[in-house]
Amino acid sequence: MVKKTFLVIATISILLSSCSVSKSARSQRNLFSGSWTLEDVSYENNTGTFKSVLFNDAEDICFEGSDWFFRDNNSTGRYTISQSSLCQGGDRFFRWSVVEPAQNYSSQLQFKFIDEKRIDVSGGFGYRLNIANLNEQSMTLKSNVSVEGEPVTIVYQFSKKQ
């Protein structure tokens, strides 16, 4: 009986630990939580002038000054783009998580689009951004893309709203 109880407790412990989020990812999720402003979108690792459509949604200029909100208790969020002659304004909703890839790589923010009722509208397709910096006041996310076969890194610089 004691062996059986021990085996059940050990099995439950293994299952719970394999399904849980690591301490590092949990800490990063807590830092993400709240409201942010995307201050700047820039490009690294290549020269020239770039104009891009981000997240298959809007031009990079539309994202500058956009408001982002991350809710960590249910992994949902939204970003809001201001209406202008170049930009289709409004809210975009998403489900997000922090992913810890294999060794020697930075953690990543992963998100996919959902509607107001939290139903997937992206067909399972999503985005991953490398977390280059994350603290209580600022956040830098990066994504690596290819332009005419050459690598370019898109840099997203956020500041936390108070």
Side-chain angles (χ1 to χ4, degrees):
M1 183 67 173
V2 173
K3 285 183 181 180
K4 200 180 249 187
T5 303
F6 176 76
L7 184 60
V8 169
I9 291 172
T11 302
I12 290 172
S13 296
I14 290 169
L15 286 174
L16 288 176
S17 66
S18 67
C19 295
S20 67
V21 176
S22 75
K23 187 175 181 179
S24 172
R26 199 170 26 254
S27 173
Q28 288 178 323
R29 284 181 59 80
N30 290 338
L31 287 171
F32 267 102
S33 187
S35 296
W36 298 82
T37 299
L38 178 50
E39 301 287 349
D40 185 56
V41 177
S42 60
Y43 300 87
E44 292 181 342
N45 301 335
N46 211 315
T47 58
T49 303
F50 295 94
K51 176 179 165 182
S52 58
V53 173
L54 303 177
F55 313 123
N56 203 29
D57 180 17
E59 290 184 20
D60 51 4
I61 191 74
C62 297
F63 280 88
E64 292 186 1
S66 61
D67 293 318
W68 290 64
F69 178 73
F70 296 88
R71 179 173 286 123
D72 69 343
N73 67 349
N74 68 1
S75 303
T76 62
R78 76 169 175 336
Y79 63 82
T80 305
I81 292 177
S82 297
Q83 180 70 35
S84 74
S85 59
L86 294 174
C87 310
Q88 179 67 39
D91 292 332
R92 280 74 160 168
F93 300 93
F94 56 85
R95 182 167 310 284
W96 66 280
S97 62
V98 173
V99 178
E100 292 184 316
Q103 289 180 321
N104 301 326
Y105 292 99
S106 64
S107 297
Q108 296 175 315
L109 168 67
Q110 171 178 272
F111 71 94
K112 67 178 181 175
F113 291 107
I114 59 174
D115 64 14
E116 299 86 1
K117 296 178 182 177
R118 300 185 185 138
I119 297 172
D120 179 16
V121 296
S122 60
F125 182 77
Y127 301 91
R128 282 194 180 184
L129 304 172
N130 297 322
I131 303 170
N133 176 54
L134 176 61
N135 60 48
E136 292 83 7
Q137 293 86 30
S138 65
M139 168 171 61
T140 305
L141 304 176
K142 296 183 176 186
S143 60
N144 299 316
V145 297
S146 179
V147 177
E148 296 176 359
E150 297 295 320
V152 176
T153 300
I154 305 173
V155 180
Y156 307 86
Q157 188 65 50
F158 292 82
S159 64
K160 186 87 176 237
K161 290 185 170 186
Q162 299 304 334

